[in-house]
Amino acid sequence: MEGTKGNSLPRGTSSQPKDDLDQTPIFLAVLVVLITLMLLYVWKKKRTARSDVLLMGLCDSGKTLLFSHLILDEEKETFTSIKENVGYLTAASGELRVVDVPGNERLRGKFFDQYKNLAKAIVYVIDSVTVQKDVRDVADFLYTILADKATTNLPVIVLCNKQDETLAKGDGAIKSLLEKEINLVRQTRTSELQSVDPQSAGAVFLGRSDKDFEFGQLSQKVKLVACSAKECQLEDLNAFLDSL
């Protein structure tokens, strides 16, 4: 009888080993942490998802009129912009945020830097009437956009606008003008970077170094099309937006 008493446990003491204690609170805490991390990841990914279509180009190219047709479905009187216009467009590919970037030389770089990492596509608008006179500025700004590391994989459509006007150049002639001028811009930019680390400039070399520049040499898809925002001849642009 005394042996039996020696094996008994004090009242209120469990015979269950410590390792077998209920692990439910620990499991729930780990689960909460994992769910929180997953939600943060999804939120951050959605926040940085590329959904913007940037309308870019020099002043008076017709970007804002184009914007009013796309977003407001009407022709609205426009003026030189000093801030961006932002609107939403429902295309076949889903909802797109369209950003009309000011063409002012002192402002366009700032707004491009602000939106380029959210860009899904670039729409570059050219005044087909004045392009030959302004070709240096037109080509230089387009080079800046295409050579930026943030846009090297984005589809680009170059709209040769104002085709309703008598003196407008066709998209084929504008393509030749731009390729020739971008080749000169490329030489200038390359010379400027000879004493600078190219990595710090945030730009890539456009085209092939052993040949004159052509749009077909680029990694991103660049398409030049004729259009008229005034006459609402935007079939190619609409097809481009639906394909995104």
Side-chain angles (χ1 to χ4, degrees):
M1 297 296 291
E2 291 180 359
T4 302
K5 290 181 180 180
N7 291 331
S8 64
L9 294 172
R11 182 175 295 178
T13 302
S14 172
S15 62
Q16 183 179 16
K18 290 182 178 180
D19 292 342
D20 293 337
L21 293 176
D22 188 5
Q23 302 292 318
T24 301
I26 298 176
F27 172 77
L28 290 176
V30 172
L31 185 61
V32 169
V33 171
L34 290 176
I35 291 174
T36 302
L37 290 174
M38 183 177 67
L39 290 175
L40 285 173
Y41 171 78
V42 172
W43 174 80
K44 185 176 180 181
K45 186 175 181 181
K46 183 177 180 180
R47 189 172 175 229
T48 58
R50 289 179 174 267
S51 61
D52 290 358
V53 175
L54 306 186
L55 298 183
M56 309 193 72
L58 305 189
C59 290
D60 299 323
S61 59
K63 296 183 289 78
T64 305
L65 178 59
L66 184 66
F67 177 87
S68 69
H69 277 305
L70 290 174
I71 305 303
L72 306 175
D73 196 25
E74 64 182 22
E75 182 175 333
K76 189 176 181 181
E77 186 177 3
T78 62
F79 305 92
T80 300
S81 304
I82 59 172
K83 61 178 293 185
E84 75 275 42
N85 295 306
V86 180
Y88 292 86
L89 171 70
T90 301
S93 56
E95 186 177 64
L96 301 170
R97 187 170 76 157
V98 180
V99 182
D100 171 22
V101 176
N104 184 284
E105 185 177 1
R106 292 177 297 174
L107 299 174
R108 61 195 183 206
K110 167 193 167 184
F111 285 103
F112 176 53
D113 288 339
Q114 179 179 340
Y115 287 102
K116 65 185 181 182
N117 290 310
L118 295 175
K120 187 173 187 177
I122 303 290
V123 177
Y124 191 76
V125 188
I126 292 175
D127 184 335
S128 301
V129 178
T130 63
V131 61
Q132 188 159 13
K133 175 175 67 74
D134 299 330
V135 68
R136 182 67 179 187
D137 289 340
V138 172
D140 190 76
F141 188 29
L142 181 57
Y143 187 100
T144 297
I145 296 169
L146 296 177
D148 195 288
K149 290 181 179 178
T151 64
T152 51
N153 294 318
L154 301 184
V156 178
I157 186 169
V158 179
L159 296 183
C160 304
N161 192 24
K162 302 187 182 181
Q163 291 294 313
D164 55 286
E165 299 194 24
T166 306
L167 298 178
K169 287 192 173 295
D171 52 310
I174 292 175
K175 180 180 179 182
S176 298
L177 279 172
L178 287 178
E179 288 179 334
K180 182 179 179 180
E181 196 64 35
I182 287 177
N183 192 62
L184 297 175
V185 173
R186 184 176 67 174
Q187 293 174 15
T188 303
R189 297 284 186 98
T190 303
S191 298
E192 291 174 350
L193 289 173
Q194 282 181 348
S195 59
V196 181
D197 179 7
Q199 298 297 324
S200 65
V204 298
F205 184 85
L206 286 187
R208 294 180 52 174
S209 59
D210 60 334
K211 289 190 174 184
D212 289 342
F213 175 81
E214 294 179 0
F215 285 110
Q217 299 166 0
L218 300 178
S219 59
Q220 67 262 65
K221 182 180 178 182
V222 180
K223 182 179 182 182
L224 281 82
V225 299
C227 84
S228 170
K230 184 176 181 179
E231 299 296 326
C232 215
Q233 296 172 358
L234 306 173
E235 295 81 3
D236 289 312
L237 174 60
N238 290 327
F240 174 78
L241 296 174
D242 285 338
S243 70
L244 298 178

